Amino acid sequence: MIQIQNLVKRFGSKYAVDDISFFIDEGEIVGFLGPNGAGKSTTMNILTGYMSSTSGTASIGGIDILENPTEAKRFIGYLPEQPPLYMDMTVREYLNFVYDLKGCKLNRTKHLGEICEVVKISDDYKKNRLIKNLSKGYKQRVGIAQALVGNPRVIILDEPTVGLDPKEIIEIRNLIRILGETHTVILSTHILTEVQAVCDRILIINSGKLVADEKTENIARMIEGNRRLNARICGPQRDVLRVLRSIKEITSADVFGEREGDSFVYAIESTAGVDIRKPLFYALAQNNMPLIGLEQQGTNLEDIFISLVDKKQTDNKRTKDAPKFDIKLPSGDTASKEDNN
């Protein structure tokens, strides 16, 4: 349904989007995740035809957004971070205006009625109110409603819950799930819980680069973070910590939790990719320290996000800061080469 191929957007010497590529199937709810300034909104603006790219292509339903923008935009319903609302219009006037603006051919009364029902602004009181008098949450609903006019196959939502209260956030998330049943949805955000709550798949962008593309349930496999365990162990704290920290595969160990009899819970982190359970058991058994509980701690999306972003920044810094020296070639030319020692 959506294909981005080698997309680049440059402002002077700065790359807002730096050679990213991805494909989104019909019916997916995809979270487009990244820190502020990562390039999310720029990518969305290119995809919706609001901004041109420096190079690369963006197509929807097989139609290039730059070569045939009018046809491509018929596939798209877009809610930008700042909803394009006319505050002095009523909800009813505004949706009729959008209907005419899009040249919609569907039955006006039935189509707009169905949209209002989906976004829960169907009662006459709300439809006859001036938009400026609505709460932030209902303004967002009206913004989503305008995106649905014309029944587009793709819905793009840029930061749809920013500034909403907790109740409004839950309502908008539920609405996004409903939309995902009949549309392809792209949710651009930097709020991690948003993605976990509603998305089937996650794309993570940082400094204009795509650093992860994976299904939500499989995203933890994208990093090789430390394995974390909580272990309840009997014995004096100081002695238990000494034994834990003597195990070479353990990178950190600290007391975590309240005392229960003569036991404490210890938070243990081990080297990436290492199963610490057997070495832990044998070391404790040799020191007569019963292991009476062991629980693996899952890696959450926040850990993954920070790890991927930090890794990218570290890699860039290493490349930038790598010392260089000159080598005289036999021909007399000079080559600059990175010191790999």
Side-chain angles (χ1 to χ4, degrees):
M1 175 54 69
I2 298 171
Q3 184 162 8
I4 299 287
Q5 191 71 37
N6 303 117
L7 195 67
V8 173
K9 181 61 180 180
R10 190 175 66 243
F11 297 97
S13 60
K14 177 175 174 55
Y15 284 82
V17 178
D18 190 0
D19 193 27
I20 68 172
S21 300
F22 59 84
F23 180 83
I24 298 176
D25 284 322
E26 189 166 1
E28 283 190 292
I29 303 179
V30 176
F32 198 42
L33 184 67
N36 290 328
K40 303 187 304 297
S41 292
T42 300
T43 303
M44 296 299 99
N45 286 335
I46 294 171
L47 186 59
T48 55
Y50 180 74
M51 179 186 294
S52 63
S53 61
T54 302
S55 62
T57 61
S59 62
I60 299 176
I63 302 171
D64 191 290
I65 189 67
L66 293 181
E67 292 182 359
N68 199 341
T70 301
E71 286 302 311
K73 287 177 184 178
R74 295 187 192 279
F75 287 92
I76 303 171
Y78 181 39
L79 175 67
E81 187 173 353
Q82 297 296 326
L85 305 177
Y86 289 88
M87 298 299 173
D88 290 325
M89 285 184 174
T90 66
V91 173
R92 191 188 303 275
E93 290 170 342
Y94 176 69
L95 292 180
N96 275 283
F97 168 72
V98 173
Y99 178 96
D100 293 332
L101 195 66
K102 290 188 175 183
C104 187
K105 304 299 184 184
L106 299 171
N107 180 280
R108 182 190 297 262
T109 303
K110 181 181 178 183
H111 181 52
L112 295 184
E114 289 173 345
I115 290 173
C116 290
E117 195 71 40
V118 168
V119 302
K120 299 189 184 305
I121 53 172
S122 58
D123 64 86
D124 288 337
Y125 174 72
K126 291 187 177 68
K127 287 193 285 189
N128 291 327
R129 291 193 73 185
L130 293 176
I131 293 174
K132 66 182 178 183
N133 294 331
L134 297 175
S135 69
K136 181 72 188 294
Y138 274 100
K139 286 175 183 174
Q140 288 294 84
R141 290 176 184 274
V142 176
I144 294 174
Q146 65 79 28
L148 293 174
V149 173
N151 197 25
R153 293 164 65 184
V154 176
I155 305 296
I156 299 175
L157 308 173
D158 193 355
E159 305 285 2
T161 61
V162 169
L164 303 186
D165 66 37
K167 182 176 182 293
E168 291 171 332
I169 289 173
I170 292 171
E171 290 172 347
I172 294 298
R173 287 178 184 170
N174 290 335
L175 175 56
I176 292 170
R177 291 191 193 97
I178 292 170
L179 294 177
E181 295 174 3
T182 53
H183 300 79
T184 299
V185 179
I186 301 178
L187 174 62
S188 174
T189 184
H190 65 276
I191 302 173
L192 306 174
T193 52
E194 203 94 294
V195 175
Q196 286 178 303
V198 301
C199 295
D200 306 316
R201 178 173 157 215
I202 297 173
L203 303 172
I204 300 179
I205 187 172
N206 184 50
S207 300
K209 288 280 192 182
L210 196 65
V211 296
D213 178 358
E214 188 57 85
K215 288 188 177 297
T216 305
E217 64 268 23
N218 297 333
I219 192 70
R221 300 175 188 173
M222 297 299 298
I223 62 169
E224 293 183 0
N226 288 350
R227 184 169 186 172
R228 299 184 297 179
L229 299 171
N230 286 346
R232 181 167 287 280
I233 303 168
C234 297
Q237 278 189 23
R238 182 179 298 178
D239 294 339
V240 172
L241 286 172
R242 174 182 52 78
V243 171
L244 293 177
R245 291 167 181 170
S246 70
I247 302 172
K248 65 179 181 178
E249 294 89 353
I250 290 181
T251 57
S252 72
D254 291 289
V255 178
F256 176 79
E258 296 181 357
R259 180 172 184 155
E260 186 179 290
D262 64 342
S263 70
F264 285 89
V265 174
Y266 297 83
I268 301 169
E269 291 193 2
S270 62
T271 307
V274 173
D275 187 345
I276 194 63
R277 290 174 297 179
K278 285 184 179 180
L280 175 64
F281 173 81
Y282 289 131
L284 293 173
Q286 289 171 1
N287 287 273
N288 297 315
M289 296 175 178
L291 174 64
I292 61 174
L294 191 63
E295 180 183 12
Q296 183 172 332
Q297 297 300 299
T299 303
N300 61 34
L301 184 56
E302 185 176 70
D303 297 329
I304 296 164
F305 175 77
I306 292 171
S307 176
L308 288 168
V309 169
D310 285 351
K311 181 178 185 299
K312 181 65 179 175
Q313 290 173 341
T314 300
D315 290 346
N316 287 343
K317 187 177 187 304
R318 285 174 178 167
T319 301
K320 181 179 178 181
D321 296 344
K324 296 182 179 182
F325 58 89
D326 292 332
I327 300 175
K328 293 293 184 181
L329 302 177
S331 61
D333 296 332
T334 301
S336 179
K337 186 174 182 180
E338 290 187 0
D339 183 359
N340 293 319
N341 294 328

